[in-house]
Amino acid sequence: MAFEENKGIYVIAEQFEGKLRNVSFELLGQARQLADTIGDEVGAVLIGKDVKPLAQELIAHGAHKVYVYDDAKLENYNTTAYAKVLCDFYNEEKPNVFLIGATNIGRDLAPRIANTLKTGLTADCTGLSVDDDNKTIVWTRPALGGNIMAEIICPDNRPQMGTVRPNVFKKPEADPNAKGEVIEKTANLSDADFLTKFVELIKLGGGGVKLEEADVIVAGGRGMGGDEPFKTGILKELADVLGGAVGASRAAVDAGWIDALHQVGQTGKTVGPKLYVACAISGAIQHTAGMSGSDCIIAINKDEDAPIFKICDYGIVGDVFDVLPKLTEAIKKAKHA
Ligand code: FAD
């Protein structure tokens, strides 16, 4: 099938309380590369209430066109209503590709759209490229427990759709002089399109720094020995002094020391902070899959042969209960010097 009418690589932009999520910019960077390869254009779809001012930010990060659905009814994410808006958008504008962040919202929304439009969806991608035909997107994602990388294509249906993990790709530099088109759309919604009702927003994590968006993560593993270091003790103290978030290996989560929202790795979050401090974490492939993209990794482990030392920038062989308090103290002193 030729799909001549399908044009444009479209990022479904995600915003929360009037702020665009980083993953939307990361996807625009990828959309731009794919579009340059296949000779297509980059677009974004923005949904919410009072969101129109955000369109320029999307243009600055690579969108040629931004379609805006600015409607009070769309203030809070609603699965069925947002899916309806995006399916209507597809039927009117016929985009070639939908790129969606593999966030909680993206993972909820993408399958609804794919099912309604009867097209394929590749979830949790970590790589994007173009097939030899120069038009089909190749979606790469880990499979079989992370032991192989699968390459998936959607040759017979449109739109081509995939969700992409946050922090896998770098956010492109913004170009404040970039020019693009902002197109206001009307959402065609009735009460029947809202199968659930928004009641209240309950924020988790006591208002701390969000793991996926943190510049600094101090993460602990099984060697931390209990929940106290994560909650108030040596890990939390270092995270606080650096203005960062607390992360964890799956072993620490499985032990019940910290909530699964903090898990980094293949079955947790993919993170890409400026600094990742891995404390008493051995460095299993399933953990490093989620943090190896960090700009700088410091590992503290009492076993000099721990695999984490193979991927870190700085390694400290020592006991975390000895090293961490000294590190925190030294940083506090340096800050006040
Ligand atoms: P361990 O491997 O037990 O390592 C503990 C480390 O702490 C050791 O290196 C030890 O030397 C060190 N240590 C102990 N005491 C101290 C001390 N006092 N001072 C300094 N160092 C000390 N894991 C994840 O993390 N994230 C995932 O998303 C994930 N997904 C998975 C998916 C699948 C399908 C599977 C099969 C596994 C997954 N795992 C994941 C589990 C992963 O394989 C490892 O079991 C896990 O990462 C180990 O956690 P850990 O490094 O904390 O514990």
Side-chain angles (χ1 to χ4, degrees):
M1 256 183 252
F3 299 117
E4 294 299 338
E5 62 176 352
N6 290 86
K7 297 257 178 317
I9 302 195
Y10 276 77
V11 172
I12 315 281
E14 190 175 325
Q15 57 83 32
F16 180 64
E17 296 186 332
K19 192 172 177 291
L20 286 159
R21 304 271 318 258
N22 264 342
V23 68
S24 303
F25 301 125
E26 293 159 16
L27 293 183
L28 281 172
Q30 287 306 298
R32 202 65 198 245
Q33 284 185 21
L34 295 171
D36 287 349
T37 310
I38 64 177
D40 209 338
E41 62 181 15
V42 176
V45 189
L46 182 56
I47 304 176
K49 178 179 173 243
D50 299 331
V51 289
K52 197 177 160 207
L54 302 176
Q56 188 53 42
E57 264 189 87
L58 295 167
I59 291 169
H61 286 88
H64 300 117
K65 280 182 181 173
V66 181
Y67 287 85
V68 184
Y69 291 87
D70 203 326
D71 189 324
K73 287 201 285 287
L74 295 166
E75 178 172 12
N76 297 299
Y77 172 69
N78 182 287
T79 309
T80 47
Y82 272 50
K84 164 88 166 43
V85 167
L86 287 159
C87 290
D88 287 351
F89 173 77
Y90 174 78
N91 290 323
E92 285 163 29
E93 306 297 336
K94 293 282 185 285
N96 179 12
V97 178
F98 270 152
L99 286 177
I100 304 175
T103 58
N104 290 341
I105 286 181
R107 285 173 171 161
D108 180 58
L109 188 56
R112 286 253 171 193
I113 303 169
N115 181 51
T116 308
L117 298 177
K118 299 290 172 246
T119 190
L121 168 68
T122 309
D124 262 2
C125 299
T126 54
L128 301 168
S129 55
V130 177
D131 207 359
D132 293 341
D133 66 1
N134 225 20
K135 59 184 182 193
T136 311
I137 307 298
V138 179
W139 309 86
T140 304
R141 56 151 299 152
L144 300 177
N147 290 318
I148 61 161
M149 297 304 279
E151 292 190 336
I152 296 167
I153 57 171
C154 177
D156 299 329
N157 296 287
R158 291 294 181 270
Q160 303 176 78
M161 284 185 64
T163 60
V164 179
R165 284 185 155 216
N167 295 310
V168 170
F169 298 112
K170 291 280 173 216
K171 176 179 170 180
E173 289 288 319
D175 172 4
N177 301 317
K179 298 262 178 298
E181 204 182 337
V182 179
I183 303 139
E184 293 186 56
K185 300 279 284 180
T186 305
N188 181 16
L189 293 168
S190 70
D191 287 351
D193 295 314
F194 292 79
L195 293 187
T196 53
K197 188 175 155 211
F198 177 82
V199 179
E200 187 191 358
L201 177 70
I202 299 167
K203 291 188 180 169
L204 297 174
V209 186
K210 219 167 184 269
L211 203 59
E212 304 96 303
E213 318 247 315
D215 280 340
V216 176
I217 295 175
V218 181
R222 199 194 312 267
M224 298 311 302
D227 64 349
E228 195 266 347
F230 293 89
K231 289 189 172 135
T232 53
I234 51 173
L235 265 186
K236 179 81 170 78
E237 280 168 5
L238 180 60
D240 286 349
V241 96
L242 292 170
V246 172
S249 72
R250 180 156 144 184
V253 170
D254 287 350
W257 300 337
I258 185 163
D259 191 276
L261 287 172
H262 296 261
Q263 184 181 316
V264 173
Q266 189 187 312
T267 41
K269 305 253 163 72
T270 303
V271 297
K274 294 194 175 106
L275 174 65
Y276 188 92
V277 189
C279 308
I281 292 176
S282 61
I285 182 85
Q286 294 89 355
H287 184 81
T288 57
M291 47 66 82
S292 57
S294 308
D295 291 344
C296 177
I297 300 170
I298 299 178
I300 307 166
N301 198 303
K302 64 182 184 186
D303 173 9
E304 63 179 25
D305 294 322
I308 194 79
F309 287 131
K310 293 205 173 77
I311 63 144
C312 71
D313 298 282
Y314 301 96
I316 302 171
V317 180
D319 190 318
V320 281
F321 294 95
D322 180 32
V323 176
L324 275 178
K326 287 182 183 152
L327 197 56
T328 306
E329 212 40 51
I331 293 167
K332 272 189 194 160
K333 268 198 193 132
K335 279 177 116 177
H336 293 110

